[in-house]
Amino acid sequence: VGGGIRTLDDMKRMLRAGADKVSLNTAALDRPELIKEGADFFGSQCIVVAIDAKWNGEGWDVYTHGGRNKTDWDAVEWAKRCVELGAGELLLTSMDKDGQKDGFDLALTKAVRDAVEVPVIASGGAGNREHFKEVFEKVDTDAALAASIFHYKETSIAEVKDYLRAEGVIVR
């Protein structure tokens, strides 16, 4: 569960209501120790930090509010800091690719994947099932996320999973 989680009490409410994990973004940037508080109380496996990143010509800046507000953090450095504080997983969205349907941002995902030892979920840019295979094979990401291609029924989750299995990608 993500969105609006700003305190340890918010995390408690969500996890006690049945969520397996909570996702932090702006609240973690505003108060990074919130990551540690959640990890210390619930365990790192419950704490996901969402990182929205945009290319700046030299690296990736971290943004909040759907890519509208730039922070002072470099995405790779922020990812490492989140893991140091106890994040057990990172949800990495390329704001440059989000909604474009021309494939995941392989360079961004690889840079973060290579910098941390926790699972990384690639997000932003999926337009077809081949994009999922590409991000798993070229970046060795742990998971990949898509929205519009499923919402608008351009493909289905089952079709993507069946394709990946047929291509030799291990899928749950």
Side-chain angles (χ1 to χ4, degrees), residues 72-94:
D72 292 332
W73 279 99
D74 168 81
V76 175
E77 293 307 312
W78 176 237
K80 291 193 281 190
R81 183 67 180 134
C82 291
V83 172
E84 288 169 6
L85 289 166
E89 196 167 332
L90 301 174
L91 170 55
L92 179 64
T93 301
S94 168

Side-chain angles (χ1 to χ4, degrees), residues 109-129:
T109 308
K110 181 169 179 21
V112 172
R113 170 75 264 152
D114 289 349
V116 299
E117 296 294 325
V118 300
V120 174
I121 304 164
S123 174
N128 59 49
R129 62 190 190 172

Side-chain angles (χ1 to χ4, degrees), residues 7-8 11 21 63 79 96-98 113 120 129 143 146 161:
T7 67
L8 188 61
M11 290 184 217
K21 301 172 188 246
Y63 281 75
D96 300 303
K97 293 285 200 164
D98 200 35
R113 170 75 264 152
V120 174
R129 62 190 190 172
K161 285 184 168 188

